[in-house]
């Protein structure tokens, strides 16, 4: 990597967020300046990938840190502080409500007890310290949550009564999921779609190229699991392309390995 001829300041000044973040940086000194520059560089045409790596906690070389104008790295000790700075920056910019998602919380069971207790305490402190209208959504498996709440802790007491168990998808839910994905990505060409549907008796414009029996097979094979449903659909599309099939029927669904 090398420094570009135009300075990073010149590029960042063109960012639609520059005025907002500059105003925050000058008015609220408690917000980490490294965080501010890293946030701004997310919109930089050349350095955005470096910023994402910095936020992910990767160790950057001195040249890379210089490119995005940060002095520090994010480690276990500073992660909570950096997260708080990000939240503060977003709130100070005028955004009224913020939702933070923590996925695969069951991964706590894979780390040693001391690290696990420390992480749980940090999440608890984060909940206590965040202002109103900040919502923290934690996703975990039912088994892991049962184990986590078996012995009450400060964190589980804060979560008590706010659980929501995601139920498995029924056939109608699986069809709706597939329909919505198709509606987002389908290229509109009604004439081609009408021609294709005329030769297929078990499909319609919402689910094509899937047939109704294919969707039934997807529901049966995945047992209503959303992740497996998406994985199976992707595998079916790839297999249909390989076979140059015009439709995705029950036979293709049965052939896909998940």
């Amino acid at each position: 990597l090398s420094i570009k001829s135009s300075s990073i300041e010149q590029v960042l000044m063109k960012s639609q967020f520059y005025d907002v973040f500059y105003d925050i940086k000058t008015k609220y000194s408690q917000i980490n300046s490294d965080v501010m520059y890293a946030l701004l560089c997310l919109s930089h045409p050349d350095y955005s990938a470096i910023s994402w790596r910095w936020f992910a906690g990767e160790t950057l070389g001195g040249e890379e840190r210089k490119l995005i104008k940060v002095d520090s790295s994010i480690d276990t000790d500073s992660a909570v502080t950096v997260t708080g700075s990000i939240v503060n920056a977003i709130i100070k910019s005028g955004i009224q409500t913020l939702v933070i998602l923590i996925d695969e919380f069951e991964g706590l069971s894979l780390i040693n007890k001391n690290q696990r207790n420390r992480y749980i305490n940090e999440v608890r402190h984060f909940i206590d310290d965040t202002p109103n209208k900040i919502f923290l959504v934690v996703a975990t498996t039912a088994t892991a949550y049962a184990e986590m709440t078996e012995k009450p802790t400060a964190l589980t007491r804060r979560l008590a009564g706010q659980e929501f168990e995601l139920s498995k998808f029924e056939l109608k839910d699986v069809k709706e999921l597939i329909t919505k994905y198709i509606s987002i990505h389908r290229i509109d060409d009604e004439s081609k779609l009408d021609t294709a549907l005329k030769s297929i008796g078990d499909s319609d414009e919402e689910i094509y190229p899937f047939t109704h029996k294919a969707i039934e097979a997807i529901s049966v094979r995945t047992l209503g699991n959303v992740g497996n449903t998406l994985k199976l659909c992707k595998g079916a599309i790839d297999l249909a392309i390989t076979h140059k099939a015009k439709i995705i029927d029950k036979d293709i669904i049965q052939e896909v390995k998940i």
Side-chain angles (χ1 to χ4, degrees), residues 149-204:
T149 56
E150 185 176 2
K151 295 181 179 179
T153 64
L155 175 61
T156 57
R157 283 194 292 271
R158 283 160 177 75
L159 300 177
Q162 303 188 60
E163 309 94 335
F164 180 81
E165 185 174 353
L166 296 177
S167 57
K168 293 181 179 180
F169 273 22
E170 298 179 359
L171 175 59
K172 62 180 180 61
D173 302 313
V174 171
K175 180 181 178 181
E176 181 179 354
L177 178 68
I178 294 173
T179 298
K180 288 186 175 180
Y181 264 83
I182 290 174
S183 67
I184 293 171
H185 299 287
R186 188 190 300 283
I187 298 174
D188 292 331
D189 192 332
E190 293 186 5
S191 61
K192 287 186 177 181
L193 182 59
D194 289 342
T195 301
L197 289 173
K198 286 179 181 178
S199 61
I200 305 169
D202 188 33
S203 187
D204 58 51

Side-chain angles (χ1 to χ4, degrees), residues 92-147:
K92 298 298 185 184
S93 71
I95 293 174
Q96 298 297 312
T97 303
L98 178 66
V99 179
I100 300 173
L101 308 177
I102 301 179
D103 197 11
E104 298 183 357
F105 204 66
E106 64 272 12
L108 283 177
S109 62
L110 302 177
I111 61 179
N112 67 59
K113 185 177 180 180
N114 289 336
Q115 286 181 308
R116 181 166 63 249
N117 290 339
R118 178 179 178 178
Y119 186 83
I120 288 174
N121 279 329
E122 288 177 343
V123 173
R124 189 256 300 176
H125 285 304
F126 182 79
I127 293 173
D128 292 343
D129 295 340
T130 50
N132 293 332
K133 296 187 178 180
I134 305 296
F135 299 91
L136 182 66
V137 179
V138 178
T140 185
T141 63
T143 301
Y145 186 73
E147 292 176 356

Side-chain angles (χ1 to χ4, degrees), residues 178-238:
I178 294 173
T179 298
K180 288 186 175 180
Y181 264 83
I182 290 174
S183 67
I184 293 171
H185 299 287
R186 188 190 300 283
I187 298 174
D188 292 331
D189 192 332
E190 293 186 5
S191 61
K192 287 186 177 181
L193 182 59
D194 289 342
T195 301
L197 289 173
K198 286 179 181 178
S199 61
I200 305 169
D202 188 33
S203 187
D204 58 51
E205 60 183 12
E206 287 189 334
I207 64 172
Y208 178 82
F210 293 89
T211 65
H212 290 286
K213 289 184 178 179
I215 292 179
E216 291 174 5
I218 291 170
S219 180
V220 171
R221 287 202 63 193
T222 62
L223 301 176
N225 180 284
V226 177
N228 286 342
T229 297
L230 297 175
K231 182 179 179 181
L232 179 54
C233 288
K234 180 182 182 303
I237 292 172
D238 290 342

